[in-house]
């Protein structure tokens, strides 16, 4: 257990004050891209721009011959920020550990493209993989934050469209309740170094447009019937407002007889897996995620 690392990281992040006023979307995107560029990503991968389902994407391959399977990676950013570049650290870490190639999708963002544009893009990407002959049992959805939520919502949309389910879902700190009804939205507000309830309200409104958040594709932790969805690994930290999103989604999966692992790490922030060398628990969580992916694709993890 690396408690000193966790305390040091928490102290460092808490020094950065939350923005008192909402920033323009362009400034938010620039700041998010600059922040994510600071996280060191593995160098033993190859990245190639590509296209999937009518959207730009980034293919990330391990060095040498990849193992069978495809990770469809969905980046975070509250549905209004981010790109395959900002999600690269997490994508590359999973590719390095599994030696399975990933495709990171550049889905459309709000407010220019509110719900359901992102879900539609993710479903189109999955459909494109299937139409190309990829076995659904050889596909794993993975994502962080908003992308973790999209991993679940895309499975729900695929079920509604009569498509087969992928082999598994891996979600880091997933956003799966846009009603923001989780108790941790209040109980963790002094611990979360990144988010405030008010900040969530700003970005959520951009994504929702005129939609009611009380519906399955927007708040699956509260409103979705998860019957028939694939096995899930949900990783979350206790220092985040979204803690109860993962906790309640796991409970709902259990009710639907879906295999689920709720993997909670104490005193770490939102999407702590990105902190790599600064936090041993980040590497350990990534190792567990890689093992889960490998087991469900029927291959051996690289580490």
């Amino acid at each position: 257990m690396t408690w000193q690392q966790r305390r040091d990281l928490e102290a460092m992040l808490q020094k950065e004050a939350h923005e008192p006023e909402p920033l323009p979307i362009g400034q938010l995107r620039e700041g998010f891209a600059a922040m994510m560029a600071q996280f060191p990503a593995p160098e033993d991968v190859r990245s190639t721009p590509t296209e999937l389902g009518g959207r730009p994407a980034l293919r990330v391959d391990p060095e040498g011959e990849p193992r069978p399977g495809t990770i469809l990676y969905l980046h975070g950013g509250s549905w209004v920020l981010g790109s395959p570049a900002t999600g690269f650290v997490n994508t590359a870490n999973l590719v390095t550990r599994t030696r399975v190639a990933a495709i990171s999708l550049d889905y459309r963002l709000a407010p220019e493209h509110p719900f359901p544009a992102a879900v539609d893009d993710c479903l189109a990407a999955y459909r494109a993989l299937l139409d190309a002959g990829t076995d659904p049992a050889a596909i794993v959805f993975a994502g962080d934050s908003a992308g973790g939520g999209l991993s679940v919502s895309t499975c729900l949309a695929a079920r509604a469209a009569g498509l087969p389910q992928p082999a598994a879902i891996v979600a880091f700190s997933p956003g799966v309740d846009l009603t923001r009804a989780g108790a941790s939205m209040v109980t963790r507000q002094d611990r979360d170094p990144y988010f405030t309830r008010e900040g969530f309200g700003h970005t959520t409104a951009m994504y929702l447009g005129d939609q009611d958040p009380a519906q399955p594709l927007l708040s699956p932790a509260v409103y979705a019937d998860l019957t028939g969805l694939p096995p899930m690994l949900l990783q979350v930290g206790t220092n985040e407002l979204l803690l109860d999103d993962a906790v309640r989604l796991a409970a709902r999966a259990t009710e639907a007889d879906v295999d689920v692992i709720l993997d909670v790490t104490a005193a770490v922030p939102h999407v702590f897996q990105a902190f790599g060398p600064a936090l041993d628990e980040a590497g350990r969580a990534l190792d567990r995620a890689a093992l889960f992916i490998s087991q469900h694709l029927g291959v051996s993890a690289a580490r």
Side-chain angles (χ1 to χ4, degrees), residues 52 74 81 90 102 137 160 169 175 210 269 278 292:
L52 187 65
L74 307 174
L81 316 172
N90 292 316
I169 296 171
D210 60 358
F292 181 85

Short mmCIF file of all heavy atoms in Angstrom, two decimals, residues 52 74 81 90 102 137 160 169 175 210 269 278 292:
data_model
loop_
_atom_site.label_atom_id
_atom_site.label_comp_id
_atom_site.label_asym_id
_atom_site.label_seq_id
_atom_site.Cartn_x
_atom_site.Cartn_y
_atom_site.Cartn_z
N LEU A 52 -13.20 5.36 -38.16
CA LEU A 52 -14.07 4.26 -37.78
C LEU A 52 -15.50 4.78 -37.66
O LEU A 52 -15.76 5.73 -36.92
CB LEU A 52 -13.61 3.66 -36.44
CG LEU A 52 -14.33 2.39 -35.99
CD1 LEU A 52 -14.07 1.24 -36.96
CD2 LEU A 52 -13.90 1.99 -34.58
N LEU A 74 -12.82 4.90 -25.40
CA LEU A 74 -13.64 6.11 -25.43
C LEU A 74 -13.11 7.07 -24.36
O LEU A 74 -13.18 6.78 -23.17
CB LEU A 74 -15.10 5.76 -25.18
CG LEU A 74 -15.66 4.66 -26.11
CD1 LEU A 74 -17.07 4.28 -25.71
CD2 LEU A 74 -15.62 5.12 -27.57
N LEU A 81 -15.26 17.87 -23.77
CA LEU A 81 -13.81 18.07 -23.91
C LEU A 81 -13.17 16.79 -24.39
O LEU A 81 -13.75 15.72 -24.34
CB LEU A 81 -13.18 18.45 -22.56
CG LEU A 81 -13.87 19.47 -21.67
CD1 LEU A 81 -13.17 19.53 -20.32
CD2 LEU A 81 -13.85 20.83 -22.33
N ASN A 90 -4.12 6.63 -21.10
CA ASN A 90 -4.83 5.44 -20.65
C ASN A 90 -4.90 4.38 -21.75
O ASN A 90 -4.76 3.18 -21.48
CB ASN A 90 -6.23 5.82 -20.20
CG ASN A 90 -6.22 6.66 -18.95
OD1 ASN A 90 -5.51 6.37 -18.00
ND2 ASN A 90 -7.01 7.72 -18.93
N ALA A 102 -5.67 -1.06 -29.81
CA ALA A 102 -6.83 -0.25 -29.44
C ALA A 102 -7.15 0.74 -30.55
O ALA A 102 -6.26 1.19 -31.28
CB ALA A 102 -6.58 0.50 -28.14
N ALA A 137 -16.98 -11.08 -29.70
CA ALA A 137 -16.26 -11.67 -28.57
C ALA A 137 -14.79 -11.28 -28.54
O ALA A 137 -14.09 -11.57 -27.58
CB ALA A 137 -16.39 -13.20 -28.61
N ALA A 160 -30.45 -2.40 -28.00
CA ALA A 160 -31.69 -1.90 -28.58
C ALA A 160 -31.71 -2.05 -30.10
O ALA A 160 -32.78 -2.22 -30.71
CB ALA A 160 -31.89 -0.43 -28.20
N ILE A 169 -16.60 -4.77 -20.62
CA ILE A 169 -16.49 -3.32 -20.44
C ILE A 169 -15.47 -3.07 -19.33
O ILE A 169 -15.53 -3.69 -18.27
CB ILE A 169 -17.83 -2.69 -20.01
CG1 ILE A 169 -18.90 -2.85 -21.09
CG2 ILE A 169 -17.66 -1.24 -19.63
CD1 ILE A 169 -20.30 -2.44 -20.62
N GLY A 175 -18.86 8.15 -15.61
CA GLY A 175 -19.98 9.05 -15.37
C GLY A 175 -21.24 8.39 -15.88
O GLY A 175 -21.47 8.34 -17.09
N ASP A 210 -31.76 19.83 -24.59
CA ASP A 210 -33.12 19.88 -24.05
C ASP A 210 -33.60 18.53 -23.52
O ASP A 210 -34.79 18.32 -23.32
CB ASP A 210 -34.10 20.41 -25.10
CG ASP A 210 -34.14 19.53 -26.35
OD1 ASP A 210 -33.39 18.53 -26.41
OD2 ASP A 210 -34.93 19.84 -27.27
N PRO A 269 -7.70 10.17 -6.78
CA PRO A 269 -8.63 11.05 -7.48
C PRO A 269 -9.24 10.40 -8.71
O PRO A 269 -8.94 9.26 -9.07
CB PRO A 269 -7.74 12.23 -7.88
CG PRO A 269 -6.41 11.59 -8.14
CD PRO A 269 -6.30 10.49 -7.10
N ALA A 278 3.93 8.35 -10.63
CA ALA A 278 3.77 9.08 -9.38
C ALA A 278 2.94 8.31 -8.35
O ALA A 278 2.90 8.70 -7.19
CB ALA A 278 3.13 10.44 -9.63
N PHE A 292 -8.15 -8.33 -16.65
CA PHE A 292 -9.58 -8.50 -16.93
C PHE A 292 -9.83 -8.54 -18.44
O PHE A 292 -10.54 -9.41 -18.95
CB PHE A 292 -10.34 -7.34 -16.28
CG PHE A 292 -11.83 -7.39 -16.47
CD1 PHE A 292 -12.63 -8.11 -15.61
CD2 PHE A 292 -12.44 -6.67 -17.50
CE1 PHE A 292 -14.02 -8.15 -15.77
CE2 PHE A 292 -13.81 -6.70 -17.66
CZ PHE A 292 -14.61 -7.44 -16.80
#
